[in-house]
Amino acid sequence: MHPRYELVVGLEVHVQLKTRSKIFCACATDFGAPPNANTCPVCLALPGALPVLNAHAVQLAVRTALALECTVHRASVFARKNYFYPDLPKGYQISQFDQPIATGGRLLIGVRDDGTPRAIGVTRAHMEEDAGKSVHDRYVSATAIDLNRAGTPLVEIVSEPDLRSAAEAREYCQRLKEILEYIEVSDANMEEGSLRVDANVSVRPHGATTLGTKTEIKNMNSFSGVERAIAVEFERQCALLDAGERVVQQTMLWDADRHQVRPARSKEGSHDYRYFPDPDLPPLVLTAAYIEEERRALPELPAARRARLQGEYALTPYDAGVLTANRPLANYFEAVAQAHGDGKVAANWVMGEVLAYLNSAGLPITAFRVPAAELGALLGLVRDGTVSNSAAKKIFARMVQGAGTPAAIAEREGLTQVSDDASLSAWVDAAWTAHPEEVRRLVGGEKKLLGVLVGAVMKESAGRADPRRVNQLLSAKLAEASRA
């Protein structure tokens, strides 16, 4: 928060659609292929090669727009965006300009003072092709061109300038990534370039309604980088205005190593690109039935699922947020909860033991070896008193190694819980005798030492004693000792 100026941010997010082939040709979109391996006359812009629109890319773009509550237009037009870069072989990019596939959506973030989320407007979502990649080698003063990405299908999502802090911009990106992954239109991997964010940043005096001169920040390769870059640019613009200088409209590059933004070039306006309809591509026309079919095919979206989990399983907002971070994790949790019958217990185990194991192993939930039904069965053994909670954790560690069902592991490794008083009394007597000082202080009134003796009994029994019955037997023994 600056005492004089307000931050205004709009984001342009380029999302690579999860198709097997490019938007206007049959070349593969595989990441990591040898340079220029995934190319053909169309994406190399050889004379006479004509584009053919990828129907799957259209489907994923429509799905994206619907998930963002946009109006999907029955007709949209592809245009040529003219500019000259070494990695743009045609000398223009096929994009959509004044007639995009969708407009007028929103994305919900944060919580306002009245407890409702804040709606960030989505101006438009349009389809376009990606450019290639320039690889600079400073040691030999040369630049190589890799055109594998040229023609990769993108949907660009442009927000309204509704964001008022760097933290809000970061959350917007995170929520958008969640949605994209839930509806399976993109893997949204920033490291591989399948999700790229440009930020339009301006400042204005508090209370002003007109927008200030904006700059565009590029080269942000993480959500934390988006937040830091916007914060640094806000400080830079405020300092310029405080010094009586003006903000120049230009493109800025984020330098994460130096924690600074630096000018790259003057910022172009739409007129600089000389847009005109692409004569090789007819207007894209969609039927109302097609759009409605895609709307019905959408899965439950993250915000709706968080709200439902809180109500259906009595979860806290934090727990629901963790468990809906991605769709496979949410599916796994619900399957465990249904198998066990207690959503809170299932949530504790999934957020605790399951996520701890996955994080340590560097695995996604889709690679987890323990079926939800088997984890539910393990939790059932704890609920029924067959195994203790500590024994259940030992069994879980064997389950992730593929050692068998929880009941079989418990029986084979002697982890079933002992509840008969004869065995329990023997362990209680042994612990009582082995800790005379703790017993003396307990009888003298230090009630907290009862837990120490319970722990001693559990150790004596190798974790097999029923802790509830152990507590009862120790309390009875304490009452008897106090009367003596």
Side-chain angles (χ1 to χ4, degrees), residues 219-230:
N219 198 40
M220 299 173 291
N221 57 11
S222 68
F223 293 149
S224 60
V226 170
E227 182 175 11
R228 290 196 299 270
I230 291 172

Side-chain angles (χ1 to χ4, degrees), residues 136-392:
H136 306 291
D137 189 331
R138 61 177 179 172
Y139 297 106
V140 296
S141 299
T143 297
I145 304 296
D146 181 3
L147 295 176
N148 278 343
R149 289 193 65 88
T152 297
L154 305 176
V155 61
E156 181 177 348
I157 300 161
V158 182
S159 84
E160 292 286 336
D162 291 343
L163 298 158
R164 294 293 177 267
S165 72
E168 279 192 349
R170 178 177 182 165
E171 184 183 356
Y172 174 96
C173 294
Q174 291 170 327
R175 295 304 182 202
L176 179 58
K177 176 181 167 69
E178 283 181 355
I179 291 172
L180 296 170
E181 291 176 337
Y182 261 69
I183 62 177
E184 299 179 335
V185 301
S186 175
D187 58 23
N189 188 326
M190 292 191 79
E191 292 182 354
E192 295 182 0
S194 53
L195 188 148
R196 304 195 297 275
V197 182
D198 299 336
N200 293 304
V201 180
S202 64
V203 302
R204 63 187 177 189
H206 288 293
T209 56
T210 58
L211 296 175
T213 302
K214 70 178 179 181
T215 59
E216 183 180 32
I217 312 174
K218 294 181 175 290
N219 198 40
M220 299 173 291
N221 57 11
S222 68
F223 293 149
S224 60
V226 170
E227 182 175 11
R228 290 196 299 270
I230 291 172
V232 168
E233 176 61 8
F234 178 50
E235 293 175 2
R236 188 188 73 86
Q237 291 191 23
C238 290
L240 284 174
L241 296 178
D242 282 338
E245 302 178 35
R246 66 184 184 91
V247 176
V248 176
Q249 181 170 315
Q250 58 189 332
T251 297
M252 313 293 289
L253 295 180
W254 168 243
D255 189 328
D257 294 332
R258 293 183 172 86
H259 201 69
Q260 65 183 25
V261 292
R262 52 184 173 80
R265 62 179 185 272
S266 61
K267 174 67 177 147
E268 301 90 345
S270 60
H271 61 278
D272 294 314
Y273 292 118
R274 298 176 291 115
Y275 285 97
F276 63 88
D278 193 307
D280 293 332
L281 288 163
L284 171 61
V285 178
L286 305 174
T287 66
Y290 176 88
I291 296 170
E292 189 55 35
E293 182 181 355
E294 289 304 317
R295 190 189 309 277
R296 288 196 302 268
L298 285 177
E300 184 180 30
L301 298 177
R305 196 163 197 177
R306 280 190 288 272
R308 180 175 62 79
L309 293 190
Q310 290 178 59
E312 192 170 325
Y313 298 103
L315 301 182
T316 66
Y318 174 80
D319 290 354
V322 172
L323 293 168
T324 57
N326 61 73
R327 189 175 167 193
L329 178 62
N331 291 344
Y332 185 84
F333 157 70
E334 290 212 69
V336 175
Q338 290 164 11
H340 176 55
D342 187 323
K344 187 59 181 174
V345 172
N348 289 340
W349 269 79
V350 173
M351 291 192 301
E353 299 301 313
V354 173
L355 288 184
Y357 169 76
L358 293 175
N359 289 336
S360 66
L363 295 174
I365 186 67
T366 50
F368 189 46
R369 297 181 63 181
V370 178
E374 290 297 315
L375 182 55
L378 174 61
L379 303 186
L381 295 180
V382 178
R383 178 190 54 209
D384 299 341
T386 303
V387 301
S388 67
N389 198 59
S390 60

